[in-house]
Amino acid sequence: MQFPDDDNGKMLAAMSEAGIDLSKQLDIDFFLVFDDQRDAESATEELSNSDLEGEMELHLNDEVGKWELIVCIKMIPEYQAIVDQELNLNQFAEEFGGATDGWGVMQHQEGDDDYADDDHECSDTCKH
């Protein structure tokens, strides 16, 4: 597969090389960062009341000292769809003094062959 020579294209190329099936829906995490807690909370509330279909998690990222809103959207990881989603979320975040800070996927996604032979059974203490 050919991808544009930018950060999004490089990420998709790396995912493809790692054996991730880019033709299937994945849970893609988009990161929005805010300096102010109230701005981050207001953005989270506004986004949760919108028609955006996805899960959200807000926490303080101690490493960078900013509030981070993770928006998880199930979608097919197509280049233009990711670019469009990132632009939309950046415009939204700017209204609350924030900005997008990239995107990513968790290593283990439903249907990953790498974990098919995992005989681990989850319990209440699992962290995944």
Side-chain angles (χ1 to χ4, degrees):
M1 283 188 163
Q2 294 280 41
F3 299 100
D5 188 23
D6 62 10
D7 288 341
N8 290 329
K10 289 174 185 173
M11 175 71 114
L12 288 168
M15 290 168 58
S16 179
E17 289 171 15
I20 297 174
D21 186 349
L22 301 182
S23 68
K24 294 183 179 175
Q25 285 191 335
L26 298 173
D27 291 328
I28 300 180
D29 295 329
F30 293 90
F31 302 92
L32 286 66
V33 292
F34 303 86
D35 291 323
D36 183 76
Q37 180 179 359
R38 282 183 283 181
D39 290 340
E41 289 171 346
S42 294
T44 302
E45 183 177 342
E46 179 88 15
L47 204 53
S48 67
N49 291 329
S50 74
D51 60 356
L52 180 74
E53 292 184 24
E55 296 180 23
M56 287 169 262
E57 177 185 330
L58 178 65
H59 68 273
L60 178 62
N61 184 327
D62 292 324
E63 290 180 25
V64 295
K66 294 187 180 216
W67 287 89
E68 186 173 66
L69 172 58
I70 302 170
V71 181
C72 179
I73 301 173
K74 187 178 252 345
M75 61 188 286
I76 294 175
E78 295 172 334
Y79 176 82
Q80 195 58 53
I82 289 172
V83 168
D84 291 345
Q85 189 64 60
E86 212 171 17
L87 286 171
N88 289 338
L89 288 170
N90 193 61
Q91 289 174 343
F92 170 81
E94 285 177 343
E95 294 176 25
F96 298 89
T100 53
D101 190 29
W103 61 273
V105 297
M106 296 295 292
Q107 288 288 343
H108 174 59
Q109 296 266 339
E110 185 177 323
D112 280 355
D113 292 336
D114 292 346
Y115 295 90
D117 296 325
D118 186 2
D119 59 1
H120 171 76
E121 291 187 22
C122 292
S123 67
D124 292 339
T125 59
C126 284
K127 303 240 189 279
H128 59 83

